[in-house]
C-alpha cells in the first residue's frame, strides 16, 4: 500500500478492529489500486478469523461490470445491520443502479477515492519496489511519463529495474531506456477497449482537444439533437475510467508514446490533417496539431494555412514562429505572402541576415504586397540596419514608412541619432509645435501623427512614445526626465515580444542617458533587468551585456568588464554596432591596465570596427575612447574623420550638453597625451560650458582644469581631491583615481602627496596602504629576498610595462620605479636585463 494514501486510513481502522461492521465504496480508474486494497482487506479479515455470530464478510471487485440485478442485491446487503462489505469499482458506467449502490455504500463512510499519485507518492512507491530511495530525477521522470497512474508506475519501474538494475537507486539518475515492452502492453490494452474509445484516445494523443465541437466530426459521430455531445462525454468518461486519459485531459505520456509507436504513420497523418482543418475552420488553436505535422511532408493549401495560423499563435506567445512559416512555404504557400512575417520572426530570434533577406524580398516588390506586409518589412529592415550601425539608412526607411502612414514615434531615436532633430520633433506627437499652413509638409506630417495617435494603446505603442519623448528630452536639456521616460519604456516592454522591432531597446537608451547623467546605479539596474527578461531578443542581449561592461569599465571593475566582454565573444560574430562597442571596451581595458601588448591587437580590431560603423549619437562615448587610444599609439588619423562627423552631428543637434560633454572629456585626455595644451584648454572650456547639462558633465567640467594644470606642473591638492571624488560619485571611479594619482606624483608637498595617493587608492577600489615615498622602501634583511612593493614592480616589469606605466599603475613616480629596479638588479646579482628577468621570474613563480 506504499504510495496509496487514500486507502491507508481504511486499512488502519480495520486492523484495529477486524470484526467491526464495515461498509465501504472504493472507487477509482483502472490501475489505481482497487484490487490491491481489496487484497489487503482480505488479508486482515482472514488473519482475524471468521466471526460465527456476525455476517460473512464480502469483497466485490469490478462491480461496474455486474448486471443491474446483482448491483441491486449488493445495495440491499449494504443496508443490513452489522454488514461487512467492501465494493471496488470504476467511476464508469454511470447509471441509476450504480448511483443507488454508491449512495448505500457511503451512507456512513466517505468513499475511498483512488487516482493518480503525486510526486511524493511516486517516490514512496519506487522506494518500496526498488528497496532503496531513487534519485529525484528518476522519480520525476517516472511520474511525468506515467502521469502518476499506479499500475503504470509499477510496470515501468519493474521494466527499468530489469534493464538498468541497481543503478536506479544510485546518487544520480542513469540514462533510462524507452520502456518498449510496456508500450506494447499499453497498446494491447488500448485496442481491447471499445473501438470508439480507442479512436478518441488516438485523436487526443495526436493533439485533439476533448471538445465535442472537434471530436464529433473527427470521430464521425452522429450529432442529431445533440447526441454527439452526449456520446463524446460518455467516451471521455469511459477512457478516463480505463486510465488511458488523465483527469487533466490528455493521455499519459506513455499512452501517447504507445499510440505513436503502433498507429501507422499514414493514419496519424490523416487524423492530424483532419484535426487541423477542423480547428482552422472553427478558429481554434492549431498549434499542437501543427507541431505534429512538422517534418511529415504534408503539403497543400490547407496545410499551409494551418502552419501559417500556428506561426501566428507562436508569435503572439513570443516564441519562434520561423519553423512554421518555413513549413507553410514548403507546403505550398506563396513565399512573398509570408516573407514579411518570416522577416519579423528572424529578427526576434536574432537571425539578422535572414531577417534582412526576407524584408528585402517584400520591399523589392512593395507594389505587389499588402500594405501591412510592406510596413512590417520596412520596420524589420529599419531595426536590422540600426543593429548594423547604419542608422542613417534606418532613418530613411522610417521616412518611407511615414509616407505610408506608419512610422511615427518609433522613428525618433534614428532621426535624433543622425541629427535630424526637426524631423524627430514632427514625428513625436507629444511635442507639438505651432500650427503650420494646411498645405505645408508639416501639415502632412501632422496628419500622419494624428493617424498614429489613433492607434490602440498597446504596450509597444506606449513604449515607442516614451522612447521618443525620452530621446528628445536628452537633447533638449532635460536629462532627468529622459532617464525616467526611457526606464519606464523598458519596463513596459518586458512582456512584449515585438520589442525586437525597435531600432534600439529602451533599456540600452536608458543606460546610455543614465550613465551620462551620473546615474550609474539606474543604468546597471535597467540593463540587468533587460538581460534577465531577454528584452528585445538575443541580438539585444549582446548589446545589454556590452553596456554593462562599459559601466564596469568606468567604475574601475575591470574583471567584471572583461567577463561581460568575454561572454559576448562566445556567440556568433557581432553586428557592427556591437562590434564597435566591444572593440572600444577591449581597447579601453588594455589602455587602463597599461598593457601595451594587449592594446596593439585590440587597436587593430578597433580600426576595422571604425571603418564599418558610421558616426551616430549613440557611439560617441566609444568613439572618444578610441580617440584616446589612437593618440596613445600615434595613429590619430584613423579617428579624425569620425571626430569631424561627430562635431558636425552635435552642431546639428544644438550641441546638447548630455551628449557632447563625454566626447570633450575624452578629447581632453587625447590632447594631454599628445601634449597639445591649446587643444586641452579648448576642450576644458567646452566642458565648462556644458557643465549645466548634468551632474556627469559638471563633474567632468570641475576636473578638466586640474588636468590642464597638471600639464603645467601645477597641483591644487584640495581641488584635485574634490574633483576626483566628484568623478567617482558619477560613476567615473577610474578617472577619479587616475586624476588623484597623477597629481600625487607631480606635487612637491609630501603631505599632499600622501593624501592624494590615499584618495587614488580608495577610488580605485583597493584598501588604503601606507603611502610610499619618492625614495626606496626599507629593504628586507635577507639577501636576495624581495619586498612586497618590489614584487609588484617586478610583476609589471615582466609584463613589459615602461617605468612610467608602472608608476601610473602603482601611484608612484617613474623615478621611484627606476630606483626599485636598480636595487633589485644589485641585490639579485643580475649583470644584464636578460639575467634580471630570469631572476625575477624565479622569485615570482610559486
Amino acid at each position: 500500500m506504499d504510495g496509496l494514501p487514500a486507502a491507508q486510513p481504511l486499512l488502519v481502522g480495520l486492523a484495529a478492529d477486524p470484526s467491526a461492521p464495515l461498509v465501504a465504496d472504493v472507487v477509482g480508474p483502472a490501475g489505481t489500486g482497487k484490487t490491491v486494497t481489496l487484497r489487503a482487506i482480505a488479508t486482515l479479515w482472514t488473519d482475524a478469523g471468521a466471526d460465527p455470530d456476525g455476517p460473512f464478510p464480502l469483497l466485490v471487485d469490478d462491480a461496474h461490470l455486474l448486471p443491474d440485478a446483482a448491483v441491486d442485491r449488493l445495495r440491499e446487503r449494504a443496508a443490513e445491520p452489522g454488514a461487512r462489505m467492501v465494493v471496488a469499482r470504476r467511476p464508469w458506467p454511470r447509471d441509476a443502479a450504480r448511483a443507488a449502490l454508491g449512495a448505500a455504500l457511503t451512507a456512513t463512510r466517505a468513499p475511498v477515492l483512488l487516482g493518480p499519485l503525486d510526486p511524493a507518492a511516486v517516490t514512496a512507491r519506487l522506494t518500496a519496489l526498488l528497496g532503496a530511495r531513487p534519485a529525484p530525477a528518476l522519480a520525476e521522470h517516472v511520474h511525468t511519463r506515467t502521469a502518476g497512474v499506479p499500475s503504470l508506475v509499477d510496470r515501468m519501474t519493474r521494466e527499468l529495474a530489469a534493464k538498468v538494475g541497481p543503478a536506479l537507486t544510485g546518487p544520480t539518475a542513469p540514462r533510462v531506456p524507452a520502456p518498449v515492452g510496456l508500450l506494447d502492453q499499453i497498446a494491447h490494452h488500448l485496442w481491447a477497449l471499445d473501438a470508439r474509445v480507442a479512436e478518441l484516445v488516438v485523436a487526443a494523443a495526436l493533439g485533439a482537444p476533448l471538445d465535442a465541437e472537434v471530436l464529433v466530426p473527427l470521430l464521425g459521430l452522429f450529432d442529431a439533437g445533440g447526441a454527439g455531445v452526449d456520446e463524446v462525454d460518455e467516451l471521455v468518461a469511459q477512457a478516463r475510467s480505463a486510465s488511458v486519459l488523465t483527469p487533466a485531459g490528455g493521455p499519459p505520456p506513455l499512452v501517447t508514446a504507445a499510440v505513436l509507436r503502433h498507429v501507422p504513420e499514414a493514419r496519424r497523418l490523416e487524423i492530424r490533417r483532419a484535426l487541423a482543418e477542423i480547428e482552422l475552420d472553427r478558429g481554434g488553436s492549431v498549434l499542437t496539431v501543427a507541431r505534429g505535422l512538422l517534418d511529415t511532408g504534408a503539403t497543400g493549401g490547407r496545410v499551409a494555412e494551418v502552419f501559417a495560423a500556428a506561426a501566428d499563435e507562436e508569435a503572439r506567445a513570443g516564441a519562434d514562429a520561423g519553423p512554421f512559416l518555413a513549413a507553410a512555404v514548403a507546403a505550398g504557400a506563396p513565399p512573398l505572402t509570408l516573407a514579411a512575417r518570416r522577416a519579423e520572426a528572424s529578427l526576434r530570434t536574432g537571425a539578422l541576415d535572414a531577417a534582412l533577406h526576407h524584408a528585402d524580398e517584400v520591399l523589392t516588390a512593395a507594389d505587389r504586397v499588402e500594405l501591412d506586409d510592406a510596413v512590417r518589412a520596412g520596420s524589420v529592415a529599419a531595426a536590422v540596419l540600426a543593429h548594423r550601425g547604419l542608422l542613417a539608412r534606418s532613418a530613411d526607411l522610417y521616412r518611407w514608412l511615414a509616407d505610408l502612414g506608419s512610422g511615427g514615434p518609433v522613428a525618433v531615436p534614428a532621426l535624433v541619432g543622425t541629427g535630424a532633430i526637426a524631423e524627430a520633433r514632427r514625428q513625436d506627437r507629444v511635442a507639438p509645435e505651432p500650427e503650420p499652413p494646411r498645405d505645408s509638409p508639416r501639415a502632412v506630417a501632422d496628419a500622419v501623427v494624428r493617424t498614429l495617435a489613433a492607434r490602440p494603446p498597446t504596450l509597444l505603442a506606449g513604449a515607442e512614445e516614451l522612447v521618443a519623448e525620452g530621446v528628445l528630452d536628452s537633447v533638449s536639456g532635460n536629462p532627468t526626465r529622459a532617464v525616467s521616460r526611457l526606464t519606464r519604456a523598458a519596463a513596459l516592454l518586458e512582456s512584449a515580444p515585438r520589442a525586437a522591432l525597435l531600432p534600439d531597446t529602451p533599456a540600452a537608451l536608458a543606460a546610455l542617458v543614465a550613465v551620462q547623467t551620473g546615474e550609474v546605479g539606474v543604468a546597471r539596474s535597467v540593463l540587468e533587468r533587460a538581460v534577465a527578461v531577454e528584452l528585445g531578443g538575443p541580438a539585444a542581449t549582446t548589446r545589454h551585456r556590452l553596456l554593462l561592461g562599459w559601466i564596469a569599465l568606468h567604475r574601475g571593475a575591470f574583471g567584471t568588464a572583461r567577463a561581460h566582454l568575454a561572454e559576448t565573444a562566445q556567440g556568433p560574430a557581432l553586428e557592427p554596432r556591437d562590434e564597435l562597442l566591444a572593440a572600444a571596451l577591449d581597447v579601453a581595458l588594455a589602455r587602463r591596465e597599461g598593457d601595451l601588448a594587449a592594446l596593439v591587437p585590440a587597436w587593430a580590431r578597433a580600426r576595422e570596427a571604425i571603418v564599418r560603423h558610421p558616426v551616430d549619437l549613440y557611439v560617441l562615448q566609444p568613439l572618444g575612447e578610441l580617440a584616446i587610444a589612437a593618440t596613445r599609439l600615434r595613429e590619430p588619423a584613423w579617428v579624425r574623420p569620425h571626430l569631424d562627423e561627430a562635431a558636425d552631428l552635435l552642431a546639428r543637434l544644438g550641441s546638447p550638453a548630455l551628449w557632447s560633454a563625454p566626447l570633450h572629456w575624452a578629447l581632453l585626455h587625447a590632447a594631454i597625451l599628445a601634449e597639445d595644451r591649446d587643444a586641452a584648454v579648448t576642450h576644458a572650456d567646452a566642458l565648462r560650458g556644458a557643465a549645466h547639462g548634468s551632474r556627469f558633465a559638471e563633474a567632468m567640467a570641475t576636473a578638466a582644469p586640474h588636468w590642464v594644470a597638471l600639464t603645467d606642473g601645477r597641483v591644487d591638492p584640495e581641488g584635485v581631491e574634490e574633483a576626483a571624488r566628484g568623478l567617482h560619485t558619477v560613476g567615473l571611479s577610474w578617472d577619479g583615481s587616475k586624476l588623484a594619482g597623477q597629481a600625487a606624483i607631480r606635487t612637491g608637498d609630501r603631505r599632499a602627496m600622501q593624501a592624494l595617493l590615499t584618495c587614488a587608492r580608495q577610488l580605485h577600489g583597493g584598501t588604503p596602504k601606507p603611502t610610499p615615498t619618492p625614495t626606496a622602501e626599507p629593504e628586507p634583511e635577507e639577501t636576495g629576498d624581495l619586498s612586497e612593493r618590489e614584487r609588484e614592480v617586478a610583476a609589471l616589469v615582466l609584463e613589459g610595462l615602461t617605468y612610467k606605466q608602472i608608476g601610473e599603475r602603482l601611484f608612484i613616480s617613474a623615478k621611484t620605479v627606476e630606483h626599485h629596479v636598480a636595487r633589485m638588479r644589485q641585490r639579485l646579482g643580475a649583470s644584464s636585463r636578460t639575467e634580471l628577468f630570469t631572476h625575477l621570474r624565479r622569485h615570482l613563480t610559486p
Side-chain angles (χ1 to χ4, degrees):
M1 301 304 296
D2 284 337
L4 301 177
Q8 289 169 2
L10 174 65
L11 297 172
V12 170
L14 182 59
D17 187 2
S19 61
L22 173 64
V23 174
D25 191 16
V26 180
V27 183
T32 53
K34 299 185 299 298
T35 301
V36 173
T37 301
L38 292 185
R39 287 175 180 162
I41 293 172
T43 299
L44 290 171
W45 268 338
T46 301
D47 290 347
D51 180 1
D53 298 326
F56 192 82
L58 178 64
L59 298 173
V60 182
D61 202 0
D62 290 336
H64 56 280
L65 300 177
L66 294 176
D68 289 352
V71 170
D72 290 341
R73 290 199 297 274
L74 290 177
R75 177 175 50 78
E76 294 169 358
R77 175 72 178 267
E80 294 177 0
R84 290 195 292 167
M85 181 176 72
V86 179
V87 176
R89 60 194 179 91
R90 295 184 187 178
W92 185 91
R94 298 171 292 192
D95 54 31
R98 263 150 280 271
L101 173 63
L105 294 172
T106 57
T108 57
R109 173 187 292 273
V112 176
L113 301 177
L114 301 177
L117 308 179
D118 61 20
V122 169
T123 299
R125 196 89 189 134
L126 289 174
T127 302
L129 293 168
L130 299 173
R133 190 174 181 85
L138 175 65
E140 182 182 358
H141 174 70
V142 172
H143 178 261
T144 300
R145 297 286 288 165
T146 62
V149 176
S151 63
L152 292 181
V153 171
D154 288 7
R155 290 155 71 185
M156 183 175 180
T157 303
R158 292 191 181 101
E159 180 161 332
L160 294 179
K163 291 184 177 180
V164 180
L168 287 176
T169 56
T172 58
R175 291 181 62 86
V176 178
V180 175
L182 178 55
L183 297 183
D184 294 341
Q185 296 172 26
I186 292 171
H188 180 76
H189 168 64
L190 182 61
W191 308 142
L193 299 174
D194 183 296
R196 296 172 306 163
V197 173
E199 289 178 9
L200 169 69
V201 174
V202 169
L206 296 178
L210 300 184
D211 186 332
E213 189 177 352
V214 175
L215 293 176
V216 167
L218 184 65
L219 302 180
L221 302 179
F222 181 69
D223 195 31
V229 175
D230 295 338
E231 189 171 0
V232 167
D233 287 343
E234 281 296 300
L235 294 176
V236 169
Q238 189 174 349
R240 284 178 175 159
S241 182
S243 286
V244 289
L245 284 182
T246 67
L254 280 177
V255 175
T256 298
V259 168
L260 296 177
R261 175 176 169 80
H262 286 273
V263 175
E265 184 176 352
R267 175 61 178 156
R268 297 201 306 269
L269 181 57
E270 179 187 352
I271 294 172
R272 281 182 170 133
R273 289 176 67 112
L275 175 58
E277 292 184 11
I278 292 169
E279 289 284 19
L280 198 63
D281 289 339
R282 78 183 192 115
S285 172
V286 298
L287 193 55
T288 301
V289 68
R291 287 196 181 106
L293 285 171
L294 280 174
D295 301 321
T296 63
T299 60
R302 294 287 282 170
V303 172
E305 289 181 50
V306 169
F307 284 134
D312 286 341
E313 290 188 54
E314 284 283 68
R316 285 193 294 271
D320 182 12
F324 287 116
L325 292 168
V329 172
L336 189 59
T337 62
L338 297 178
R341 290 155 70 185
R342 296 182 75 181
E344 183 176 332
S346 299
L347 176 58
R348 291 188 187 185
T349 59
L352 301 191
D353 284 337
L356 200 55
H357 168 72
H358 293 306
D360 198 54
E361 283 185 84
V362 178
L363 296 177
T364 303
D367 58 334
R368 293 185 284 118
V369 299
E370 297 291 335
L371 178 61
D372 286 348
D373 284 345
V375 168
R376 190 194 301 253
S379 300
V380 169
V384 173
L385 291 171
H387 277 290
R388 298 203 155 162
L390 301 173
L391 202 60
R393 178 60 181 150
S394 177
D396 287 341
L397 273 169
Y398 284 123
R399 293 184 181 99
W400 178 76
L401 288 172
D403 290 339
L404 296 180
S406 185
V410 71
V412 170
L415 294 170
V416 171
T418 53
I421 185 67
E423 285 184 83
R425 289 194 173 115
R426 286 199 297 271
Q427 294 295 333
D428 178 31
R429 69 178 181 88
V430 185
E433 294 182 358
E435 186 72 22
R438 289 185 176 277
D439 57 348
S440 70
R442 173 63 194 279
V444 176
D446 283 349
V448 172
V449 169
R450 285 192 296 273
T451 302
L452 293 170
R455 293 184 304 171
T458 62
L459 292 177
L460 185 62
E464 287 174 359
E465 290 168 7
L466 283 171
V467 168
E469 294 163 0
V471 170
L472 286 170
D473 284 338
S474 76
V475 295
S476 59
N478 204 328
T480 302
R481 192 167 65 185
V483 173
S484 173
R485 283 173 164 169
L486 291 169
T487 303
R488 282 153 49 203
L492 266 183
L493 287 184
E494 286 184 1
S495 59
R498 301 196 74 200
L501 291 176
L502 299 175
D504 203 354
T505 69
L509 294 171
L512 287 173
V513 175
V515 163
Q516 294 174 170
T517 58
E519 300 295 341
V520 178
V522 173
R524 187 168 54 194
S525 173
V526 73
L527 287 172
E528 287 173 347
R529 181 65 184 164
V531 170
V533 302
E534 297 184 342
L535 176 65
T541 298
T542 298
R543 178 158 173 76
H544 296 151
R545 288 197 181 282
L546 288 170
L547 288 170
L548 281 168
W550 194 256
I551 293 171
L553 170 81
H554 286 308
R555 291 190 296 109
F558 297 156
T560 302
R562 284 208 177 279
H564 285 300
L565 183 61
E567 193 159 358
T568 61
Q570 303 302 315
L574 299 180
E575 294 297 329
R577 181 172 65 183
D578 295 335
E579 174 61 17
L580 179 64
L581 184 55
L585 183 55
D586 200 8
V587 164
L589 286 167
R591 183 179 69 82
R592 282 164 167 75
E593 293 173 339
D595 189 348
L596 186 61
L599 180 58
V600 172
W603 173 244
R605 174 187 182 183
R607 287 190 305 186
E608 183 177 348
I610 293 172
V611 170
R612 297 175 60 200
H613 197 296
V615 171
D616 64 53
L617 186 66
Y618 311 115
V619 298
L620 295 187
Q621 276 207 47
L623 178 61
E625 182 59 47
L626 295 179
I628 300 174
T631 305
R632 170 77 177 82
L633 296 172
R634 297 183 175 85
E635 294 190 358
W638 276 98
V639 296
R640 176 51 54 194
H642 290 73
L643 293 175
D644 292 341
E645 289 181 34
D648 182 58
L649 170 64
L650 289 170
R652 293 200 306 273
L653 292 173
S655 297
L658 180 78
W659 297 97
S660 61
L663 184 60
H664 285 299
W665 177 252
L667 295 180
L668 166 70
H669 287 278
I672 291 171
L673 271 176
E675 299 180 355
D676 186 345
R677 188 183 185 283
D678 290 342
V681 170
T682 298
H683 292 298
D685 290 343
L687 284 168
R688 190 180 305 112
H692 67 281
S694 66
R695 288 194 311 137
F696 194 73
E698 183 180 2
M700 291 186 291
T702 302
H706 292 289
W707 274 111
V708 175
L710 289 181
T711 64
D712 298 331
R714 294 181 289 106
V715 179
D716 173 9
E718 292 182 1
V720 166
E721 183 170 348
E722 182 181 354
R725 295 191 184 280
L727 291 171
H728 169 74
T729 301
V730 296
L732 296 174
S733 301
W734 184 87
D735 293 78
S737 174
K738 176 84 169 176
L739 174 60
Q742 288 297 308
I745 62 178
R746 284 170 170 79
T747 183
D749 184 334
R750 178 182 175 83
R751 181 173 296 179
M753 179 189 68
Q754 290 175 337
L756 288 169
L757 284 174
T758 299
C759 173
R761 287 174 177 150
Q762 288 173 342
L763 300 186
H764 195 266
T767 302
K769 300 177 182 178
T771 305
T773 65
T775 59
E777 297 174 353
E779 305 298 339
E781 294 181 3
E782 296 81 7
T783 304
D785 203 5
L786 300 180
S787 69
E788 179 183 353
R789 173 62 79 195
E790 287 175 341
R791 286 180 175 275
E792 291 177 339
V793 172
L796 297 175
V797 166
L798 290 176
E799 288 184 20
L801 272 64
T802 66
Y803 291 168
K804 181 181 178 182
Q805 291 168 340
I806 294 172
E808 291 177 355
R809 182 80 68 88
L810 300 178
F811 306 113
I812 57 180
S813 69
K815 291 295 286 184
T816 302
V817 175
E818 184 179 4
H819 183 77
H820 278 307
V821 173
R823 288 280 297 170
M824 287 188 288
R825 176 177 291 188
Q826 179 183 357
R827 290 172 49 246
L828 295 174
S831 58
S832 66
R833 184 178 177 85
T834 302
E835 193 174 344
L836 173 64
F837 274 42
T838 301
H839 283 301
L840 293 181
R841 289 192 185 95
R842 185 182 304 123
H843 273 75
L844 296 184
T845 301

